[in-house]
Amino acid sequence: MGNRAQILIVGTIFLGLALVPLFAELTQTPFYLDLARRMMILAIGALSLNLIMGYGGLISFGHAAYIGIGAYTVGICAEHELVSGFIQWPLAILVSGVFAIIFGLISLRTRGVYFIMITLALAQMMYFLGVSLDRYGGDDGLPLIERSNFGALVDISNNVTLYFIVLGALVLSLFFCKRLINSRFGMVLQGTRSNETRMKTIGFPTLRYQLTAFVIAGMMAGFAGALLANHTDFINPDMMHWTRSGDLIIMVLLGGMGSLAGPVVGALAFILLEELLSGVTEYWQLIFGPFLILVVLFARGGLLGFFADKEQRDG
Amino acid sequence: MAEIVLQVSDLCKSFGGVLATDHLDLGVERGSIHAVIGPNGAGKTTLINQLSGLLTSDGGKIQFNRNDITKLSAPIRAKMGLARTFQITSVFGEFTALENVSLAVQAHDGHSFKLWHDARRDKALTGPALEALTIVGLEKRQSIKASLMSHGERRQLEIAMALATKPKMLLLDEPMAGMGPEESNRMVSILSELKGTVTILLIEHDMGAVFSLADKITVLVYGGEIATGTPDQIRANPEVRSAYLGDEDFES
C-alpha cells in the first residue's frame, strides 16, 4: 500500500481525468465527459464498498441500494420543489445512513454466505420499493426536473462544472478512505477481518465497529447516489437492482480488493471495458467474464496490484 | 491463605452427550501459576473457552476478582483483565509484530473510534506495544509481518498481545505447543519472569515446563478434576499416575 508505483499510476489516472473536459471540448465529443463522470461516481461507490468488503471482510451484495437511496432522496426532493443542494446532498447522506444502520443491524447478525444473501435480499426489497413508488415514476423512473441548486456558490447545471465537482468528490473520498483505514478505527476493522475471535478476546466488541463501517460505507454510497441523480438527470429503480450491486463487487475485485485506490482503477477499467467491448459485440460479457476470471486468478491484488508490483520488479 | 483471583464453582459444559466440563471447582491464587493438565480430550481447551467467554456454560459459576462473570461476553471479560492465548496461534498475519501488539494496547486504552489520525504513528499505542514486545524478547522483530515469523516467535507474539491488554490474569492454552526444545526453554524463562506480576492459568502438555513453573496443578480427566495440589503432591498421587499410565513425560 502506498508504494511509489501505485502513487504513480493513481496520479496519472487523476491527471488524465482532469484533462478529459479539455479533450471533450477540443474534439467535440461530450460523450467522453459523460463517460468519465459516470466512472468517477461509480468509483466513489466502489471505494465505499471496499471499506467494508476489502478492509472489513464483509461482502455486501446490496451496496447499490445505498446509491439508489441517495439518488431517490435527491429525486424526491426535486419532485417536491426542494432543489437546494445544501439540503438535498446532506439529506441523501443522512437517509442512506439511517437505512444502513437498520440493514446493518439485521445483516451483521450473520456472517459469510448468509450475510451476502441478507444484504442482497434487503437491497432487492429497496429495488421493489422503488418499482412500487408510482408517485415517483415507479418502474419507469423519474426525470430530475432540475439539478441540485447551490445558489451563487456553484452552478452544476453546467456539465463541465458538475464534472469537476465529481472529480473533487472522488479525490476527497479517496483521501477520507486513506485516513480512515490507517486510523485506530481502521486497524480494528482490519483486525476483525483477519481474526474476529482474537479481536473479541483482546477486548473489542467487534459488532459496533463493523456496524459503524457499514454505516459509513452506506453514507458514502448515498453521496455517490446524489451525484448519480445529477449526472443522469434521472432516477429509476434499476440503480438498486442486484446486478448493480454485483457490478460494484466486480469493480472492487477488478481493481484490487483491500487496496486503497484499487476500486478507482476497477471502476474505470469496468466502465471502459464495458464501453469498448459492447461496441464490438452485443455479447460483451462473453469476453468480460473470462477476463475477470483471469484477473482474479492471476492478479491477486487486482489490476492495481498487478501493475504496481510489476513495475516494482522491473525497477 | 492467598487471595483467590479466579473462582470456578460447579462449572459444566456438555457437547451432545459428552461432558466436556464436569461439575468443576477450581480456585486460582493471586500471583501464582496454576497449571491444568490432563490427557487429550480432558476438556482443557473447553475450560479456557468457557473462562474467556467464547463458550457459554451450561451450569455453574465463574467469579473473577469476586465479580460474577459467568454471563459476560468475551470482550467485556478481556476488558476486566482476563486475557488469553490460543492453542493454535492466533495473531493477525498481515500486520507487523508491532501492529499486532498496538491493536491489543488499543483494546485496553479504550479509544477506538478515532477515525482520522494515523494509528501507526500514535505513540500512545506504539510505546506500550514496544514494552510488551521487549518483555517477550521480540523488540528487534517489531516491523516483521506476523505471517513471516517463525512458529516460536508467533507464540511469543501472542503472549505479548495478551500482556499488552494489561491483564490481571492470563489464560495460556498450551503456549509451548509445537515448539522445539530451545523455543520451549525460552518460553519457560519468559513465563517465569512473569511469575508474581500476573496470575497465570497454564494449560500445557510439556510436563517438564509444568512441573518447573507451576505453584499448583489440577489434573483433569473427562472434564472432571481428579486431583489438585503442589507439583510434589501431584507427582506422588497414585490416581494421577494411573491416568497418565505409560506417559513417559510424566515419569521424568
Side-chain angles (χ1 to χ4, degrees):
Chain A
M1 213 177 357
N3 68 50
R4 283 167 74 184
Q6 284 202 16
I7 292 171
L8 196 70
I9 291 174
V10 174
T12 312
I13 287 173
F14 276 103
L15 190 67
L17 286 172
L19 291 174
V20 167
L22 185 67
F23 174 78
E25 180 67 28
L26 289 176
T27 57
Q28 288 298 306
T29 46
F31 165 74
Y32 288 109
L33 191 71
D34 196 77
L35 186 73
R37 207 166 60 193
R38 186 155 67 95
M39 282 175 173
M40 294 191 293
I41 293 171
L42 290 174
I44 297 175
L47 273 174
S48 70
L49 176 61
N50 191 37
L51 281 182
I52 47 175
M53 185 170 129
Y55 292 101
L58 300 164
I59 302 166
S60 166
F61 210 142
H63 207 58
Y66 305 100
I67 293 186
I69 292 167
Y72 265 82
T73 307
V74 169
I76 290 172
C77 281
E79 185 70 6
H80 293 285
E81 284 161 21
L82 181 66
V83 292
S84 169
F86 295 115
I87 297 173
Q88 283 182 351
W89 291 18
L91 198 61
I93 294 171
L94 195 73
V95 174
S96 313
V98 170
F99 273 97
I101 290 175
I102 299 165
F103 289 176
L105 277 173
I106 298 168
S107 51
L108 284 168
R109 301 167 69 91
T110 63
R111 289 288 180 274
V113 178
Y114 302 100
F115 181 80
I116 296 175
M117 296 315 286
I118 287 187
T119 50
L120 175 67
L122 290 169
Q124 278 303 87
M125 210 174 79
M126 295 311 291
Y127 167 75
F128 287 112
L129 179 66
V131 169
S132 67
L133 283 177
D134 287 333
R135 171 71 184 80
Y136 304 107
D139 213 356
D140 299 327
L142 181 75
L144 200 66
I145 306 161
E146 188 188 336
R147 283 187 184 163
S148 303
N149 188 324
F150 287 94
L153 183 71
V154 61
D155 178 16
I156 63 167
S157 65
N158 180 309
N159 276 323
V160 176
T161 310
L162 178 60
Y163 183 92
F164 282 109
I165 293 286
V166 171
L167 179 61
L170 178 58
V171 173
L172 280 180
S173 302
L174 195 58
F175 182 60
F176 173 76
C177 287
K178 181 182 160 60
R179 296 304 298 236
L180 188 72
I181 57 169
N182 289 317
S183 70
R184 287 185 175 206
F185 176 80
M187 297 301 282
V188 176
L189 191 62
Q190 293 172 71
T192 308
R193 170 193 63 190
S194 171
N195 191 336
E196 186 168 359
T197 305
R198 190 67 180 120
M199 288 298 278
K200 283 184 176 158
T201 55
I202 56 178
F204 288 109
T206 48
L207 179 67
R208 69 180 66 159
Y209 299 98
Q210 289 177 319
L211 181 65
T212 306
F214 194 84
V215 173
I216 291 173
M219 291 167 87
M220 240 177 103
F223 175 54
L227 295 173
L228 191 64
N230 280 284
H231 163 78
T232 49
D233 299 305
F234 191 75
I235 53 167
N236 73 353
D238 279 349
M239 290 172 166
M240 299 185 274
H241 195 254
W242 69 271
T243 52
R244 293 282 154 273
S245 298
D247 288 349
L248 288 173
I249 291 180
I250 292 172
M251 288 172 196
V252 172
L253 284 174
L254 193 61
M257 183 166 70
S259 75
L260 183 65
V264 177
V265 176
L268 264 56
F270 182 91
I271 303 289
L272 211 59
L273 283 171
E274 183 186 51
E275 206 52 49
L276 288 174
L277 295 176
S278 60
V280 178
T281 165
E282 193 183 329
Y283 307 106
W284 65 276
Q285 278 141 330
L286 272 180
I287 308 170
F288 186 78
F291 173 72
L292 181 67
I293 290 170
L294 287 178
V295 169
V296 171
L297 282 180
F298 296 111
R300 299 200 67 182
L303 288 175
L304 183 62
F306 184 70
F307 288 115
D309 287 348
K310 191 172 174 183
E311 271 194 33
Q312 218 170 25
R313 270 201 303 274
D314 293 346
Chain B
M1 196 176 132
E3 187 194 352
I4 300 290
V5 179
L6 183 82
Q7 180 65 55
V8 171
S9 0
D10 203 28
L11 197 68
C12 292
K13 180 75 191 176
S14 58
F15 298 103
V18 182
L19 263 176
T21 307
D22 187 3
H23 301 277
L24 186 69
D25 295 298
L26 187 72
V28 181
E29 290 173 9
R30 183 177 300 285
S32 70
I33 294 185
H34 192 131
V36 175
I37 62 172
N40 282 323
K44 303 184 297 291
T45 296
T46 301
L47 174 64
I48 288 224
N49 283 340
Q50 282 175 280
L51 295 178
S52 61
L54 290 182
L55 278 178
T56 51
S57 301
D58 297 340
K61 200 165 159 187
I62 306 165
Q63 281 172 295
F64 180 57
N65 281 330
R66 291 194 209 86
N67 299 308
D68 185 351
I69 62 165
T70 318
K71 299 228 159 24
L72 300 181
S73 72
I76 293 177
R77 293 188 202 193
K79 284 236 174 196
M80 291 173 81
L82 194 56
R84 70 165 287 177
T85 64
F86 288 79
Q87 184 180 356
I88 297 161
T89 314
S90 192
V91 296
F92 306 107
E94 64 266 48
F95 287 173
T96 65
L98 189 65
E99 285 164 5
N100 266 281
V101 186
S102 293
L103 203 50
V105 175
Q106 191 180 320
H108 172 75
D109 97 346
H111 300 286
S112 290
F113 275 105
K114 290 186 175 170
L115 310 181
W116 199 247
H117 295 288
D118 195 334
R120 292 182 182 85
R121 288 188 196 149
D122 193 337
K123 288 274 189 299
L125 297 181
T126 53
L130 200 53
E131 270 173 45
L133 280 177
T134 309
I135 295 176
V136 300
L138 282 178
E139 70 278 11
K140 290 198 179 70
R141 305 279 283 162
Q142 53 169 299
S143 46
I144 308 289
K145 264 193 183 182
S147 58
L148 300 176
M149 295 180 124
S150 72
H151 174 74
E153 286 177 326
R154 275 185 280 148
R155 304 298 295 177
Q156 284 162 244
L157 179 59
E158 245 201 289
I159 306 267
M161 286 167 72
L163 287 175
T165 63
K166 300 266 180 256
K168 298 189 176 72
M169 179 166 180
L170 283 174
L171 308 169
L172 304 181
D173 195 355
E174 295 195 31
M176 282 83 158
M179 282 186 166
E182 207 169 302
E183 290 174 328
S184 271
N185 286 339
R186 161 136 209 107
M187 187 60 80
V188 169
S189 74
I190 290 170
L191 295 185
S192 54
E193 294 256 326
L194 288 175
K195 194 169 179 171
T197 62
V198 55
T199 312
I200 295 175
L201 183 80
L202 173 70
I203 286 181
E204 188 47 61
H205 273 299
D206 182 334
M207 290 305 149
V210 166
F211 280 90
S212 72
L213 285 168
D215 300 297
K216 252 192 183 165
I217 298 173
T218 293
V219 185
L220 283 189
V221 175
Y222 297 121
E225 173 209 353
I226 62 165
T228 293
T230 64
D232 288 337
Q233 289 168 333
I234 293 299
R235 222 190 294 266
N237 187 312
E239 239 187 303
V240 176
R241 284 184 157 266
S242 78
Y244 270 94
L245 200 66
D247 191 331
E248 284 173 23
D249 282 344
F250 201 72
E251 305 296 321
S252 61

